[in-house]
Amino acid sequence: MLQRLKPILLDWAATLVSYFLLGLIRILTGSQARWWGCPPKALQRIYFANHQSHADLVMIWAALPKELRRSTRAVAARDYWGKTPFRHWLTSAVFNVIYVSRARHADEDPLEPLLEALRGGDSLILFPEGTRGFADEPQAFKAGLFNLALKFPEVELVPAWINNVQRVMPKGEVVPVPVLCSVTFGVPMQVLPGEDCTAFLQRARAAVIALRYV
């Protein structure tokens, strides 16, 4: 009996935790979503944003309307978010993330989990820097966004700027600080005809940075 109830109890726990986190984030940050360049439509999209805090994943998730959260999956580093059983459960059961490995292995394509999700109709939340940065502007974007855009040209690419979230959990602190934060979503973009990887990534990064001043 307990074994049969276990999946139900885990699903129930994940739902409770998601509501708790959503409320906590909104209390701490206001979780303002600013749809400046596009409306929050149920279209297949890749949201790509700056990355300065481990809270970025949760911040964008909380900024999306409920109907979009169901079909939008964040991309997270397996070596960090899968490091402990609790982190693994939180990210897989509550946020339904897609794990990627930052360690390169010759026999695997690091984009395959993302390609599989896109083939299944999911939208993605992607941080093209690949790791957190601590400067005012994002680091250079890695090629993954470009490669996904080439393989799925019908998927909208939506730049986003996450403002102030790094101040909610400053480096070295364990207690979050209430700070008003926002996520600004920009105008969808795509790879232009004949545009190479370097030019596209520079343009995509510039699109994210521009939202900081909107």
Side-chain angles (χ1 to χ4, degrees), residues 158-194:
V158 178
W161 178 265
I162 306 172
N163 187 50
N164 269 348
V165 73
Q166 71 275 17
R167 294 171 57 192
V168 174
M169 186 73 79
K171 187 178 181 182
E173 298 294 330
V174 294
V175 179
V177 178
V179 176
L180 187 63
C181 301
S182 64
V183 180
T184 302
F185 297 93
V187 177
M189 58 183 295
Q190 59 184 173
V191 179
L192 299 176

Side-chain angles (χ1 to χ4, degrees), residues 13-118:
T15 301
L16 282 183
V17 170
S18 69
Y19 281 119
F20 169 76
L21 288 174
L22 187 60
L24 179 63
I25 292 160
R26 288 177 174 170
I27 290 171
L28 289 173
T29 71
S31 188
Q32 295 181 340
R34 304 174 65 224
W35 294 92
W36 176 79
C38 61
K41 288 186 176 181
L43 301 173
Q44 191 176 23
R45 290 169 165 171
I46 297 175
Y47 301 95
F48 61 97
N50 57 312
H51 191 22
Q52 292 187 312
S53 166
H54 289 310
D56 290 337
L57 180 159
V58 185
M59 185 67 189
I60 291 194
W61 173 82
L64 294 173
K66 182 179 180 179
E67 61 272 17
L68 298 189
R69 290 199 300 271
R70 292 194 185 101
S71 59
T72 304
R73 304 177 66 187
V75 178
R78 184 186 302 275
D79 60 293
Y80 179 80
W81 289 107
K83 193 172 185 179
T84 67
F86 176 73
R87 286 184 193 172
H88 184 273
W89 176 81
L90 182 68
T91 49
S92 60
V94 178
F95 298 118
N96 193 26
V97 303
I98 302 169
Y99 291 119
V100 293
S101 176
R102 289 188 286 196
R104 294 299 181 92
H105 301 285
D107 59 343
E108 67 179 22
D109 180 359
L111 291 181
E112 184 54 37
L114 284 65
L115 297 173
E116 183 178 350
L118 290 170

Side-chain angles (χ1 to χ4, degrees), residues 141 189 195-209:
F141 284 2
M189 58 183 295
E195 189 173 33
D196 65 18
C197 181
T198 299
F200 169 78
L201 294 178
Q202 289 176 346
R203 190 164 61 87
R205 179 176 176 273
V208 170
I209 294 171

